[in-house]
Amino acid sequence: MQSRSIALENEHDIAVARGEVRNVSAAIGFRLIDQTRLATVASELARNVVKYAGRGRMILQPTEAPYGRVGIRLIFEDRGPGIPDIAAAMRDGFTTGRGLGKGLPGSKRLVDEFQIESTVGVGTRITVTRWL
Amino acid sequence: MDGQTRIPILKVGRVLIVPIQVDMDDQTVMHLQERILTELERTGARGVLIDISLLEMVDSFIGRVLSDIAAMARIMDARTVVVGMQPAVAITLVELGLELRGVDTVLNVDEGIRLLRSEFGMDDEDEDGDRELGALAEQINRP
């Protein structure tokens, strides 16, 4: 399956992104609970892009490890303000906005791998992977 | 689904029934919150029953709005019950760290109506609405 890129520019795109992630994860063979986890992560991280950076994109990558393990990788990229203190942003309850501060730490718990790179003034890239 | 999507709000007896049948974008969720509060004020309903059995995902945004609706409805002297959460949604919510603070959740519409009934009781003048509510619950529960 090919990877694809979905533009994240408004609230509607958030819904589109999580719908795509659910469809692709179902097609790969993830069971319902994992489809739900992945759609929820996509919703959380896509909303962060729209809310904090205004725009960005999600890259959806069906992926295969060298030893044949199948999974799905989601990359959320933006050229927004960046996260000054990543450690703080990863703590439960930390929020700079109206949110509950569950987005990043909560999303991390829903996937197998979670990687965050961010530079103030340059942008943020979050990569998450869940294996089948 | 764009912000124009209208989720129906039905008033039966003293309960507002909100069957959410589609994935909602953020704007639709915010509209729904406003409309529920407007309907509470307009109708004087005492309970809000939100059926999320067809909702495939509850993220922190929708979770927060559900909590907000419950808190605001309480201030307007109404009780909110969320019914029919799918197991996968419940598991994900807990892993995400969400509590749905202030929101009562029950398994199905029948249980929801029973809870609301026990909360504010049903007196004589509400018997018609009560019967209607039972009939509607049956209808919603039918696959």
Side-chain angles (χ1 to χ4, degrees), chain A residues 80-89 94 104 116-121 123-124 126:
Chain A
I83 303 169
D85 187 345
I86 292 178
F94 179 86
L104 291 184
I116 180 166
E117 306 150 78
S118 187
T119 308
V120 172
T124 301
I126 297 178

Side-chain angles (χ1 to χ4, degrees), chain A residues 9-52:
Chain A
E9 291 172 1
N10 54 49
E11 293 176 345
H12 179 65
D13 295 336
I14 301 170
V16 171
R18 66 176 175 241
E20 254 331 271
V21 168
R22 176 175 289 275
N23 290 340
V24 170
S25 55
I28 289 174
F30 279 103
R31 61 208 174 106
L32 181 64
I33 171 67
D34 286 329
Q35 293 172 33
T36 306
R37 286 183 177 119
L38 284 161
T40 307
V41 167
S43 193
E44 295 291 336
L45 299 181
R47 181 172 293 102
N48 279 354
V49 169
V50 173
K51 192 160 99 183
Y52 294 109

